[in-house]
């Protein structure tokens, strides 16, 4: 069979994605595959089989029956489940594939319980608990975040989101229109700007890991750590924006219709199901589109790094001219 891996004149390089990660469209295709929620439901046996295929292939061990399609399927599942730097299996709720189903429910809560103080506190507590799990799971490289740092970031982000939401609600308390419905998005954006840098504070202090083309650690850069964290923060806000802005717009229009006003039961019970459904549709697209805004693994010339980092790298034997780093997700 011509599609057998062993029959290929040039073996595919699975250390890279199936799609070109230097282009936005290539990154979108990659994340549509790796952030697919269906990967959450694969069996342990399938996961282990895919892991073995990938790890054996990297060692040069190739089954004579392995097809190209099987290889890439295994690689995509492996990418969705295992951390790209540590190789450890990621907690299921922290994976990008969990973003759509988990955030669908959480955003439905945020957009439905934004008017009352208990609803605001509860929904933002749930959201920031989930965000803390995602941020910790997808931190860059072998960065060690202490339990104390994680706890502080969680408390500050939850406090910031709740304070922003309650404060903004006070400002628009007499409004039942679109302005009030957009409060959850502003609060979530503010919390992301606090939570992500705090969870990854060690990278700002020690620097993000820099590796050569053989994945050997050659240095650390605080400058790139700051850039990576800013990119991740922007990506997360961009992922939340469409569903947390468009859903309120649609719901606001719907609540003004004669059909809605004439049906008390729909007024009482429809808001959360409708917004959860709309959010789910939006997140299916915005999760890969947001993740793809910036490359996860990037290359940079050593000459563009901080002077002290350049000095350390160039002092090594066979010093690389280009290094690579993982910004995280």
């Amino acid at each position: 069979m011509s599609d057998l891996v062993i029959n290929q004149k040039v073996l595919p390089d699975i250390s890279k994605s199936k799609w070109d990660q230097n282009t936005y469209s290539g990154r979108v295709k990659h994340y549509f595959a790796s952030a697919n929620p269906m990967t959450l439901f694969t069996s342990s046996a399938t996961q282990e089989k895919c892991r073995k295929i990938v790890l054996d292939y990297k060692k040069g061990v190739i089954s004579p029956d392995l097809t190209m399609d099987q290889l890439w399927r295994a690689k995509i599942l492996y990418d969705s489940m295992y951390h790209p730097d540590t190789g450890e299996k990621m907690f299921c709720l922290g994976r990008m594939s969990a973003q759509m189903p988990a955030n669908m429910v959480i955003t439905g809560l945020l957009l439905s319980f934004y008017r009352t103080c208990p609803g605001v506190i509860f929904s933002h507590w749930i959201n920031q608990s989930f965000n803390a799990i995602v941020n910790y799971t997808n931190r860059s490289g072998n960065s060690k975040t202490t339990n104390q740092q994680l706890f502080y970031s969680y408390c500050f982000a939850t406090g910031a989101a709740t304070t922003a939401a309650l404060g903004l609600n006070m400002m628009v308390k007499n409004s039942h229109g679109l302005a009030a419905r957009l409060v959850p998005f502003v609060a979530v954006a503010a919390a992301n700007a606090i939570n992500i840098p705090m969870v990854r504070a060690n990278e700002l202090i020690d620097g993000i890991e820099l590796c050569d083309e053989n994945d050997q650690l050659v240095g650390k850069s605080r400058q790139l750590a700051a850039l990576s964290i800013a990119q991740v923060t922007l990506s997360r806000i961009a992922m939340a924006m469409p569903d947390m802005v468009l859903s309120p717009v649609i719901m606001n229009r719907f609540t003004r219709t004669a059909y809605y006003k004439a049906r008390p039961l729909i007024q009482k019970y429809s808001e959360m199901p409708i917004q959860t459904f709309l959010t789910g549709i939006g997140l299916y697209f915005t999760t890969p589109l947001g993740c793809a805004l910036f490359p996860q693994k990037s290359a940079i010339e050593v000459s563009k790094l901080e002077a002290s980092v350049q000095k350390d790298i160039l002092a090594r034997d066979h010093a690389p001219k280009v290094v690579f780093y993982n910004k995280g997700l």
Side-chain angles (χ1 to χ4, degrees):
M1 295 174 62
S2 60
D3 65 339
L4 290 174
V5 175
I6 58 173
N7 291 339
Q8 304 303 309
K9 293 182 179 179
V10 179
L11 293 177
D13 181 4
I14 66 167
S15 65
K16 301 176 181 177
S17 172
K18 183 179 181 180
W19 299 278
D20 183 5
Q21 296 300 284
N22 292 320
T23 66
Y24 181 68
S25 61
R27 294 195 295 272
V28 168
K29 292 176 182 177
H30 171 79
Y31 286 113
F32 260 114
S34 61
N36 184 348
M38 297 308 296
T39 62
L40 293 170
F41 303 103
T42 54
S43 66
S44 297
T46 300
Q47 294 168 16
E48 183 56 33
K49 179 181 177 181
C50 291
R51 178 176 176 272
K52 187 176 186 302
I53 288 173
V54 170
L55 295 183
D56 283 350
Y57 185 85
K58 289 180 178 180
K59 296 174 183 175
V61 179
I62 304 173
S63 169
D65 299 324
L66 183 66
T67 66
M68 292 289 289
D69 183 60
Q70 290 172 336
L71 176 64
W72 282 116
R73 284 179 181 271
K75 163 65 174 172
I76 290 169
L77 183 63
Y78 181 86
D79 283 348
S80 73
M81 303 194 66
Y82 295 88
H83 195 281
D85 292 335
T86 65
E88 296 176 355
K89 182 183 286 189
M90 296 183 287
F91 179 54
C92 61
L93 284 179
R95 301 172 197 163
M96 283 298 115
S97 51
Q99 287 287 300
M100 183 267 189
N103 270 328
M104 178 178 72
V105 176
I106 292 170
T107 306
L109 291 174
L110 288 168
L111 296 178
S112 301
F113 297 158
Y114 66 93
R115 288 191 178 95
T116 66
C117 183
V120 167
I121 294 172
F122 174 74
S123 58
H124 282 288
W125 169 65
I126 291 290
N127 185 48
Q128 292 310 318
S129 297
F130 176 68
N131 282 345
I133 293 172
V134 174
N135 294 337
Y136 182 77
T137 303
N138 292 281
R139 66 198 185 282
S140 175
N142 295 299
S143 173
K144 302 299 181 183
T145 301
T146 66
N147 291 335
Q148 186 180 43
Q149 276 182 296
L150 187 61
F151 178 72
Y152 284 161
S153 68
Y154 168 70
C155 291
F156 274 110
T158 305
T162 304
T163 301
L166 292 175
L168 290 168
N169 277 340
M170 288 294 293
M171 293 173 63
V172 296
K173 63 181 179 180
N174 295 322
S175 171
H176 294 281
L178 185 58
R181 291 181 181 276
L182 292 178
V183 166
F185 168 68
V186 178
V188 165
N192 272 324
I194 294 173
N195 199 351
I196 296 172
M198 287 199 67
V199 169
R200 297 176 59 175
N202 277 351
E203 295 173 42
L204 293 171
I205 297 169
D206 301 328
I208 198 169
E209 293 186 349
L210 305 174
C211 297
D212 61 17
E213 59 183 5
N214 298 315
D215 286 333
Q216 297 300 310
L217 180 65
V218 295
K220 292 185 177 182
S221 169
R222 288 192 292 269
Q223 175 182 299
L224 289 179
L227 175 63
S228 297
I229 291 171
Q231 289 177 339
V232 170
T233 302
L234 288 173
S235 293
R236 294 288 182 83
I237 293 173
M239 286 163 60
M241 184 181 294
D243 49 277
M244 294 196 77
V245 172
L246 291 179
S247 295
V249 169
I250 294 171
M251 196 66 201
N252 195 56
R253 292 293 298 272
F254 177 59
T255 57
R256 294 183 177 184
T257 62
Y259 178 86
Y260 179 87
K261 292 178 179 179
R263 291 166 172 79
L265 284 178
I266 290 180
Q267 294 177 39
K268 188 174 182 179
Y269 297 111
S270 69
E271 189 159 323
M272 185 174 176
I274 291 174
Q275 294 199 129
T276 301
F277 174 73
L278 291 173
T279 297
I281 295 174
L283 283 168
Y284 179 77
F285 296 99
T286 59
T287 298
L289 292 173
C291 287
L293 285 176
F294 307 100
Q296 183 175 2
K297 284 197 170 184
S298 300
I300 185 170
E301 295 177 9
V302 174
S303 60
K304 294 182 179 179
L305 298 170
E306 306 98 302
S308 58
V309 179
Q310 288 185 45
K311 183 179 178 181
D312 291 341
I313 294 176
L314 295 176
R316 303 170 65 94
D317 293 335
H318 309 294
K321 293 183 178 179
V322 176
V323 291
F324 304 85
Y325 65 97
N326 172 25
K327 73 169 178 62
L329 283 174

